[in-house]
Amino acid sequence: GAGVSQSPRYKVAKRGQDVALRCDPISGHVSLFWYQQALGQGPEFLTYFQNEAQLDKSGLPSDRFFAERPEGSVSTLKIQRTQQEDSAVYLCASSLYPRQGNSPLHFGNGTRLTVT
Amino acid sequence: QQPVQSPQAVILREGEDAVINCSSSKALYSVHWYRQKHGEAPVFLMILLKGGEQKGHEKISASFNEKKQQSSLYLTASQLSYSGTYFCGTEIVLSSASKIIFGSGTRLSIRP
């Protein structure tokens, strides 16, 4: 596709429900990132994939958060037993290369998750 | 690990200049700059590599001081379209790859 596509655009979940957020990166992009952005804050790193390999998941807040990219393209971020503090915009970004020194990040429009 | 941006917010009149700073406690490999408008995705502006180079994008330029571990973004003769939140991102190397860690942003408001 022309850009990074994320779905759903908005998600309302009741506390305790599981949610799955989808990211469709630009075709051929090796790197895929998930970020969490709270209102008025910068994107906070969650996890990074190089193709299908999850090389860094140090930013995942708890073991309720799980991400996968099984075929090196589409990625899913899953949050189990959602809590109110999980409410945020979840941004996905992809880039062409493994190293970001010459590789701009292309962001999707994000999924706004509201946990009630 | 998160870079520190200053100031947190700037209010300008159209045509005025601004400088946004980004500093890191870690050695910098590269610095990315992005602009995000309300409700939209961050949009790439430029990447600065080690070597203290300066880059330009329209009337927006940036510098990278490796020794001081900081980068600055310069907006000259600001236009209404420059309004938004500016984020710097620093590159953290992971073996064969790298990730970008963002600062908390600088909110820029331009008034006519």
Side-chain angles (χ1 to χ4, degrees):
Chain A
V4 178
S5 176
Q6 290 188 247
S7 61
R9 187 82 173 87
Y10 301 93
K11 177 69 179 177
V12 178
K14 289 190 175 178
R15 190 159 54 99
Q17 282 184 334
D18 298 348
V19 298
L21 313 180
R22 177 188 168 104
C23 172
D24 203 336
I26 294 173
S27 179
H29 276 198
V30 168
S31 294
L32 187 144
F33 300 83
W34 282 100
Y35 290 91
Q36 180 189 60
Q37 188 173 31
L39 191 64
Q41 299 297 314
E44 192 162 333
F45 173 82
L46 293 177
T47 188
Y48 166 75
F49 288 88
Q50 179 181 332
N51 295 311
E52 71 280 359
Q54 189 175 21
L55 297 189
D56 189 329
K57 53 181 182 179
S58 62
L60 296 176
S62 74
D63 58 7
R64 295 187 295 105
F65 286 71
F66 171 76
E68 59 182 3
R69 193 186 184 198
E71 296 177 1
S73 55
V74 171
S75 177
T76 304
L77 177 67
K78 297 178 179 177
I79 309 173
Q80 296 177 323
R81 304 181 304 280
T82 52
Q83 304 293 316
Q84 284 194 317
E85 62 263 28
D86 299 336
S87 296
V89 175
Y90 290 85
L91 293 168
C92 175
S94 70
S95 72
L96 186 58
Y97 301 119
R99 289 290 300 269
Q100 314 312 320
N102 276 308
S103 198
L105 269 58
H106 299 261
F107 283 87
N109 285 322
T111 294
R112 182 179 294 278
L113 173 65
T114 303
V115 181
T116 60
Chain B
Q1 266 192 347
Q2 184 183 37
V4 176
Q5 287 187 237
S6 63
Q8 288 187 320
V10 183
I11 299 174
L12 298 177
R13 289 199 178 277
E14 203 172 2
E16 292 182 336
D17 302 340
V19 180
I20 299 172
N21 299 303
C22 174
S23 63
S24 174
S25 59
K26 290 186 170 287
L28 294 176
Y29 292 91
S30 70
V31 177
H32 292 218
W33 285 96
Y34 295 79
R35 177 172 61 211
Q36 184 178 33
K37 293 186 180 283
H38 184 68
E40 299 180 8
V43 173
F44 170 75
L45 294 176
M46 65 190 77
I47 296 174
L48 283 298
L49 300 176
K50 285 200 293 188
E53 66 176 290
Q54 195 146 349
K55 276 195 172 183
H57 174 76
E58 299 174 343
K59 291 182 180 176
I60 301 174
S61 62
S63 63
F64 182 3
N65 188 319
E66 182 186 346
K67 191 173 179 181
K68 292 185 178 180
Q69 295 174 183
Q70 63 183 211
S71 176
S72 295
L73 188 71
Y74 306 94
L75 299 101
T76 57
S78 57
Q79 306 168 16
L80 293 176
S81 62
Y82 288 178
S83 291
T85 302
Y86 289 78
F87 295 103
C88 70
T90 54
E91 183 184 8
I92 306 294
V93 173
L94 315 161
S95 61
S96 64
S98 65
K99 63 184 179 183
I100 301 297
I101 303 298
F102 289 95
S104 56
T106 296
R107 181 173 296 179
L108 178 65
S109 301
I110 311 291
R111 297 184 175 173

